[in-house]
Amino acid sequence: MKKKIVLIFLAVLMVVSALPITASAAGKEVFDHYSKNGKYAVSTLTYKVKGNDFTYKVWYPKNIKKLSKRPVLLYCNGTGSDYEKNNGTSEFLSIAASHGYVCLCNTDQNTGLGTSMDAGFTKLMKINKKKGSKIYNKLDLKKVVLAGHSQGATCTISMSDPEKYENAKYYKAIFMASLPSQALENSPIQNCPYDPDTVKLPTLLVGGTGGTDANIIAPFESSLFPAFQAIKRNTDIYLARMKGVEHADSCEKTFPYMIAWFDYQLYGKELAGKAFKGKRAELKTNPEWTDFYVKVRSKSFKIKKAKALNKAIKVSWKKDKKASGYEIKYATNEYFENKKTVKIANPAKASATIKKLKSGKTYYIRVRSYTKVGKKKFVSKWSKLKTVEL
């Protein structure tokens, strides 16, 4: 009897072991979500720009007239590629549009300097203002993002530089797939030099560990990591590579995190944020990815109000959608020699009450936000002091 029970147990164990691993078990919840179509059906339109021979194509939610203003995603092609030549580009831009974005791409196969995409964006803004157009008054110009592959990644750096392009004032975040080394882009082969030190926007840098990416076009040591180090510290900058991915496929394979990155930066969406913050940030723990590095912005923080109550003080602040929590530090002198700290682990909170204080005292208060990514903790600058008399 015992032998029969053991055999049954082993048979069940073998069946369970053979079952496919679910997305959540594999640690790919965010990646899998953004790899699929969102809730919107998608339509397209095309146009030309005076001064060049390229065709510009726009993917947008089909029912856009019934929606609020939509974020704009400008995508720059890699060398020798465009949405007509590479069906994969059309596919992931259509998926991005199904998640609510208005996406723009063109047929320029040498986008590195940014000239054609800048002209296309300028024309798109004119179409947005034209009554009767399919996207009339539906572009949210406060939420415009840049994405690019290979030479197109170089394009995003050029376009985000306000000394080169006036439209740089619109951009809020960047996604770069397989940024080529500066030596390659500076060479006569490409002739589109770039300087990552000019980038001041939140940036996600990705690449592949396949030979064409890792050893030839976008080496980790001479391209991706130097760019990660050069981009300004006062912004969010993430870096990771997808295992086994070759250069030509790096954007088509990694685009789900592109959409997640923009949803996180523009809206602070909770699901998207799981890829980039928390003890088990998915970009770090996804088994299909490696070489994860992160720097999170150091920004000023502001207390909205500090109100005296009965032996207590209520402090309120502007919520930081990308924070993991907040810290309140208070003391009875401005040098904080006898300081105490209150930690708020809920990022959705925007106020807290400090209790058990002494009447007749003046309290000095400051607040900051913090973001946890894996074992690292990144903090904002402390707010200016607030004083409250009880």
Side-chain angles (χ1 to χ4, degrees):
M1 183 67 178
K2 289 183 178 180
K3 185 177 181 180
K4 186 176 182 180
I5 293 172
V6 170
L7 289 173
I8 292 172
F9 173 77
L10 289 174
V12 172
L13 183 62
M14 289 175 69
V15 172
V16 172
S17 299
L19 292 174
I21 299 174
T22 63
S24 57
K28 303 194 306 177
E29 178 187 8
V30 180
F31 189 90
D32 287 349
H33 173 78
Y34 285 103
S35 69
K36 301 171 185 175
N37 283 319
K39 62 182 179 181
Y40 302 113
V42 176
S43 291
T44 63
L45 63 87
T46 59
Y47 60 89
K48 293 280 190 176
V49 172
K50 186 177 180 180
N52 67 52
D53 297 325
F54 307 122
T55 299
Y56 293 78
K57 188 169 183 177
V58 180
W59 294 255
Y60 63 94
K62 188 174 183 178
N63 63 337
I64 194 169
K65 291 184 178 180
K66 297 180 180 180
L67 304 177
S68 58
K69 290 187 176 184
R70 299 287 87 201
V72 182
L73 192 166
L74 308 180
Y75 178 76
C76 306
N77 303 309
T79 304
S81 181
D82 62 48
Y83 70 85
E84 291 183 337
K85 186 175 181 179
N86 186 351
N87 290 332
T89 299
S90 292
E91 289 174 5
F92 68 70
L93 290 179
S94 180
I95 291 175
S98 77
H99 284 274
Y101 287 81
V102 174
C103 303
L104 174 66
C105 188
N106 66 11
T107 54
D108 185 2
Q109 297 182 10
N110 292 282
T111 61
L113 297 177
T115 308
S116 67
M117 281 305 297
D118 181 71
F121 179 46
T122 298
K123 179 68 177 285
L124 184 65
M125 288 190 286
K126 291 180 180 178
I127 295 173
N128 180 57
K129 291 182 179 180
K130 186 177 181 180
K131 289 185 177 181
S133 77
K134 294 179 180 179
I135 57 170
Y136 173 63
N137 201 30
K138 286 299 179 179
L139 301 187
D140 188 344
L141 298 180
K142 294 182 179 179
K143 291 182 172 62
V144 185
V145 293
L146 296 169
H149 169 248
S150 192
Q151 185 182 153
T154 303
C155 175
T156 66
I157 295 176
S158 296
M159 291 181 69
S160 68
D161 187 346
E163 294 188 6
K164 293 182 178 179
Y165 292 105
E166 184 179 350
N167 285 335
K169 64 187 177 185
Y170 292 106
Y171 309 135
K172 296 297 185 288
I174 297 176
F175 171 85
M176 300 185 201
S178 298
L179 175 70
S181 66
Q182 284 185 288
L184 177 58
E185 295 301 84
N186 285 339
S187 71
I189 298 174
Q190 294 288 79
N191 196 27
C192 47
Y194 69 89
D195 181 5
D197 191 58
T198 64
V199 177
K200 299 179 181 179
L201 299 175
T203 301
L204 173 57
L205 276 160
V206 303
T209 65
T212 53
D213 217 28
N215 300 327
I216 302 173
I217 300 176
F220 182 83
E221 297 82 4
S222 60
S223 176
L224 300 183
F225 194 66
F228 171 83
Q229 291 179 307
I231 294 174
K232 300 297 183 182
R233 176 64 182 86
N234 60 348
T235 190
D236 294 358
I237 169 71
Y238 284 71
L239 166 63
R241 294 195 296 171
M242 195 171 187
K243 296 175 182 177
V245 171
E246 297 293 340
H247 182 75
D249 303 325
S250 67
C251 202
E252 292 177 36
K253 297 289 187 181
T254 66
F255 80 85
Y257 283 144
M258 173 188 76
I259 305 173
W261 175 247
F262 293 144
D263 266 4
Y264 177 54
Q265 291 298 325
L266 296 179
Y267 300 103
K269 288 188 177 180
E270 183 178 354
L271 176 61
K274 290 181 179 180
F276 308 106
K277 70 175 184 178
K279 290 183 179 180
R280 294 191 57 78
E282 187 178 296
L283 191 60
K284 176 180 174 63
T285 59
N286 187 332
E288 296 179 0
W289 287 69
T290 187
D291 298 322
F292 176 82
Y293 290 84
V294 59
K295 292 185 290 186
V296 175
R297 79 230 178 279
S298 175
K299 70 169 194 174
S300 58
F301 200 80
K302 186 177 181 180
I303 294 177
K304 291 174 67 175
K305 193 173 183 180
K307 181 181 178 181
L309 303 175
N310 183 23
K311 293 185 179 180
I313 297 173
K314 184 176 181 180
V315 185
S316 60
W317 55 84
K318 185 178 180 180
K319 186 166 59 176
D320 182 350
K321 293 180 180 179
K322 292 181 284 185
S324 298
Y326 309 92
E327 293 177 347
I328 305 170
K329 190 169 288 188
Y330 65 98
T332 53
N333 68 69
E334 60 184 308
Y335 303 107
F336 285 82
E337 292 172 344
N338 57 346
K339 64 182 181 294
K340 292 184 179 180
T341 302
V342 177
K343 292 186 178 181
I344 310 296
N346 183 356
K349 293 199 69 173
S351 66
T353 301
I354 307 170
K355 300 179 179 180
K356 297 181 180 181
L357 302 179
K358 296 180 179 180
S359 299
K361 293 279 188 178
T362 298
Y363 285 89
Y364 298 82
I365 304 165
R366 59 188 183 188
V367 182
R368 69 181 180 186
S369 64
Y370 66 86
T371 302
K372 286 186 175 180
V373 183
K375 294 181 179 180
K376 292 185 177 181
K377 179 180 178 181
F378 300 91
V379 297
S380 73
K381 297 177 182 177
W382 286 107
S383 67
K384 292 182 179 179
L385 288 181
K386 285 280 188 180
T387 58
V388 179
E389 294 182 5
L390 294 185

